[in-house]
Amino acid sequence: MTIRVNNINLDIDEAIEDLKIKAAKIMKVSGSEIKSFRIVKESIDARKKNNIKFNYAVTITMDNEIKVVTRANNKDVKIEEDRYEAEFEFGTKKMNHRPIIVGMGPAGMFAGILMAQKGYNPLIIERGEKVEDRTKTINKFWTRAVLNTESNVQFGEGGAGTFSDGKLTTRIKDNRCDYILEEFVKAGAPKEILYIGKPHIGTDILKEVVKNIRETIIKLGGEVRFNSKLEDMKIKDGKLQSIIVNGDEIPCDNLILALGHSSRDTYEMLYKKGVFMSSKPFAVGVRIEHPQDMINENQYGRYANHPRLKAADYKLAYTSKKLGRSVYSFCMCPGGGVVSAASEQGRLVINGMSEYKRDKKNANSAIVVSVGPKDFEGDSPLAGIEFQRHYESLAYKVGGENYNAPVQLVGDFLKDNISDKIGSIKPSYTLGYELTNLTKCLPSYVTDAIKEALPKFDYKINGFAREDAILTGIETRTSAPIRIDRNEEFQSISLEGLYPAGEGAGYAGGIISAAVDGLKIAESIMKKWKSV
């Protein structure tokens, strides 16, 4: 049993050692009575830029915990809730074949490690390369425009998040999040992710973490096959019988389908097989770049360069009064860069990326606008995919048909002019860029909504709509354009034995939520079936 103490504040220049003293005072005990002390949450309160504070929650063990909590009589002092231990009754139904997981992104990876820990020896198939080889392949694309359509920023070990910022923030409240963070730390992630308010790993460290998790799965009895693509499924009487991978048939009772949001050809195969799915909303737009120093100064004022503060981020949202559409920042990458994230020939899509230190000159974020089925042509669940493809093809054409990105300065974008030169902010996109008008590769309702939102965002962050800020197009892969419908057991409503998982199935929106979804599905299967 432990005590949790919330809302302990330290001024920015107070020593971290003062935290234990303040916690003891709140509990009305002496520091010597505390046996163990652990920080479980740290966040920054920068609402008053001249008085920045750190807010903490800690857990404490000591004698007579219940008596101490009762005597403290403080809403911020309570007995800590039990942590997730992944303990449950295993099923009794015998599997004919070991479970198979498609995709080595967060959902597949964490379903795999939990099943391996419990003795289910899962087989994980991944169409892309292992992360060491994938890194080389992506660098080849980023420097020479040589695209591998099977292994790229979207496909490969670790999923799309491996070549982004490695953000571990989530809005879901689930004690499985602690398990996920702890597994990341065991695999080499910084220990601070266990408690800081906006944890991130960074693409440089995340690549090593992903590799270590794979090696753990294999040590525990699982198997991981790379360059292995799910091509087809064999179905009998509404039940999954086997899958076809690289032309080979593999018998399968239980398939966790953790595709990621860009496996368009696999979605098409599933649709032809009669797997029930529906079109869902997502968002499209551009990336905006500013000097990171400008963002730091806006967020932290005179403390912008304080050694205890890292590169500042932001979160912005606005609803267009003219169009009724949401415009918001997405996947903000402090001290990072804009990268090409294409997965199909002749189509251009971008993303943001940061390393752990977030020490590059520019800050970037997507500024995106909500779109949905009413914007797509046709009634097919695949209509959102064709919508993405259409505008990605336009972006490729406008950029020069060589994976150069279309770029426009904010000042020119707001005036509907083609930029003729770059200002003081240099684009970070490595493959090169083409100065153009971004209205050529996005729907007018998207560009009009962004034009309406940018001046509003400038009220919140001074300089956000500065004339020389860089806009780079286009961002289309904010989330899956499809939801694969499932029941309360996480199983497809139309195919027994198929478990759609994570972001690609339409049930998650980031690394942590996808990983949680993978864990829930693994648990559901193990509660029903015993291992082979």
Side-chain angles (χ1 to χ4, degrees):
M1 185 181 295
T2 58
I3 299 172
R4 180 176 174 121
V5 184
N6 293 322
N7 291 320
I8 310 171
N9 289 317
L10 289 182
D11 291 335
I12 194 169
D13 291 316
E14 282 188 277
I16 196 72
E17 290 76 19
D18 291 348
L19 199 56
K20 186 175 180 180
I21 298 169
K22 290 193 172 190
K25 186 176 181 180
I26 291 170
M27 292 190 299
K28 301 177 181 177
V29 300
S30 67
S32 61
E33 294 178 71
I34 295 174
K35 292 181 176 179
S36 71
F37 178 91
R38 186 169 73 95
I39 298 172
V40 292
K41 185 180 178 184
E42 176 193 84
S43 59
I44 300 170
D45 182 353
R47 289 172 295 178
K48 297 178 180 179
K49 293 182 175 55
N50 291 323
N51 188 22
I52 292 177
K53 295 181 180 293
F54 283 79
N55 182 272
Y56 291 92
V58 301
T59 55
I60 290 165
T61 60
M62 58 191 305
D63 293 332
N64 302 314
E65 285 95 344
I66 294 176
K67 184 178 179 181
V68 169
V69 170
T70 303
R71 188 177 63 216
N73 191 27
N74 187 318
K75 62 181 177 59
D76 290 323
V77 181
K78 58 185 180 180
I79 299 297
E80 174 75 325
E81 296 177 6
D82 292 337
R83 297 169 69 79
Y84 173 75
E85 298 292 346
E87 296 298 333
F88 43 81
E89 291 288 328
F90 295 109
T92 56
K93 194 173 180 180
K94 188 177 183 300
M95 283 187 184
N96 295 315
H97 312 285
R98 61 179 167 167
I100 299 177
I101 300 167
V102 176
M104 189 61 172
M109 187 188 312
F110 276 90
I113 196 168
L114 183 60
M115 285 186 140
Q117 287 169 344
K118 300 299 182 182
Y120 281 72
N121 303 331
L123 166 62
I124 304 177
I125 62 170
E126 167 56 58
R127 72 189 289 174
E129 297 167 300
K130 62 183 179 181
V131 74
E132 304 96 309
D133 296 336
R134 184 185 178 203
T135 298
K136 295 174 186 174
T137 297
I138 290 171
N139 285 335
K140 190 175 180 181
F141 176 51
W142 285 347
T143 56
R144 294 161 49 195
V146 179
L147 176 63
N148 181 336
T149 56
E150 296 302 319
S151 188
N152 44 60
V153 169
Q154 308 298 345
F155 305 145
E157 185 177 24
T162 304
F163 290 86
S164 183
D165 183 56
K167 288 181 182 64
L168 303 177
T169 49
T170 181
R171 288 177 289 181
I172 65 171
K173 300 293 184 184
D174 192 302
N175 56 11
R176 294 175 184 85
C177 296
D178 292 334
Y179 166 84
I180 293 162
L181 294 176
E182 286 162 5
E183 289 297 328
F184 275 136
V185 170
K186 288 178 190 175
K191 289 184 179 179
E192 67 185 31
I193 68 169
L194 296 173
Y195 60 85
I196 59 174
K198 296 179 180 179
H200 89 112
I201 299 179
T203 189
D204 49 339
I205 296 178
L206 189 54
K207 287 184 280 189
E208 187 67 20
V209 168
V210 164
K211 183 190 77 152
N212 291 340
I213 291 176
R214 175 232 305 165
E215 291 175 348
T216 298
I217 292 171
I218 294 170
K219 280 181 187 175
L220 292 169
E223 181 183 354
V224 184
R225 297 181 190 175
F226 296 106
N227 304 298
S228 298
K229 183 177 178 180
L230 174 66
E231 297 170 329
D232 204 353
M233 302 184 303
K234 290 195 175 180
I235 301 165
K236 184 178 180 181
D237 299 327
K239 295 182 181 180
L240 181 65
Q241 303 292 307
S242 62
I243 61 174
I244 309 300
V245 178
N246 293 355
D248 296 327
E249 185 172 357
I250 305 174
C252 181
D253 300 311
N254 295 286
L255 181 69
I256 299 177
L257 193 69
L259 294 176
H261 58 40
S262 293
S263 294
R264 294 166 171 173
D265 48 2
T266 310
Y267 286 140
E268 290 165 348
M269 180 273 288
L270 295 169
Y271 183 58
K272 288 176 183 176
K273 286 291 180 181
V275 175
F276 195 85
M277 57 182 70
S278 52
S279 187
K280 65 175 275 294
F282 53 99
V284 299
V286 296
R287 283 254 154 199
I288 190 166
E289 291 190 85
H290 302 96
Q292 182 62 48
D293 286 345
M294 186 195 92
I295 303 301
N296 293 345
E297 289 164 9
N298 268 274
Q299 301 294 67
Y300 298 141
R302 65 188 180 94
Y303 290 108
N305 297 312
H306 195 282
R308 288 205 62 196
L309 296 174
K310 299 180 180 180
D313 63 3
Y314 57 79
K315 190 172 183 179
L316 299 166
Y318 173 74
T319 299
S320 167
K321 291 182 172 55
K322 296 177 182 176
L323 300 167
R325 292 181 186 265
S326 297
V327 188
Y328 56 94
S329 60
F330 173 79
C331 186
M332 195 270 156
C333 296
V338 177
V339 298
S340 184
S343 58
E344 293 180 327
Q345 297 287 355
R347 296 190 172 102
L348 180 81
V349 58
I350 60 167
N351 194 18
M353 189 179 81
S354 295
E355 295 184 341
Y356 172 69
K357 290 185 177 179
R358 290 176 164 176
D359 57 359
K360 300 295 188 293
K361 191 171 183 179
N362 286 3
N364 78 82
S365 172
I367 302 296
V368 292
V369 178
S370 57
V371 297
K374 62 183 175 61
D375 300 308
F376 312 149
E377 291 186 13
D379 297 325
S380 167
L382 306 177
I385 292 175
E386 294 311 311
F387 176 92
Q388 290 174 323
R389 281 174 165 161
H390 173 73
Y391 288 103
E392 289 170 16
S393 296
L394 286 179
Y396 179 75
K397 183 177 180 180
V398 171
E401 300 185 325
N402 54 6
Y403 295 105
N404 282 6
V407 163
Q408 191 173 17
L409 272 62
V410 164
D412 293 318
F413 176 74
L414 293 173
K415 297 170 187 171
D416 205 27
N417 294 331
I418 294 176
S419 300
D420 58 5
K421 63 180 180 179
I422 296 297
S424 62
I425 306 169
K426 308 302 178 188
S428 59
Y429 187 86
T430 57
L431 275 170
Y433 57 87
E434 184 73 22
L435 292 173
T436 185
N437 193 327
L438 290 167
T439 59
K440 295 180 180 179
C441 54
L442 284 167
S444 59
Y445 51 80
V446 169
T447 53
D448 287 348
I450 294 173
K451 287 176 181 178
E452 187 181 335
L454 286 174
K456 305 298 182 183
F457 293 161
D458 197 76
Y459 289 137
K460 297 180 180 180
I461 298 178
N462 184 34
F464 198 86
R466 58 189 280 177
E467 292 207 348
D468 63 345
I470 300 290
L471 295 177
T472 306
I474 61 173
E475 177 112 6
T476 58
R477 313 282 181 94
T478 52
S479 67
I482 281 170
R483 177 170 287 113
I484 305 174
D485 296 76
R486 64 191 191 188
N487 60 25
E488 66 278 358
E489 293 181 342
F490 305 99
Q491 194 165 199
S492 165
I493 64 172
S494 57
L495 179 56
E496 187 176 340
L498 180 69
Y499 293 83
E503 191 161 353
Y507 294 98
I511 291 173
I512 294 294
S513 60
V516 166
D517 201 57
L519 290 174
K520 288 179 178 179
I521 292 172
E523 291 167 20
S524 180
I525 292 172
M526 291 188 290
K527 288 174 182 176
K528 181 177 180 180
W529 301 84
K530 63 181 179 180
S531 59
V532 177

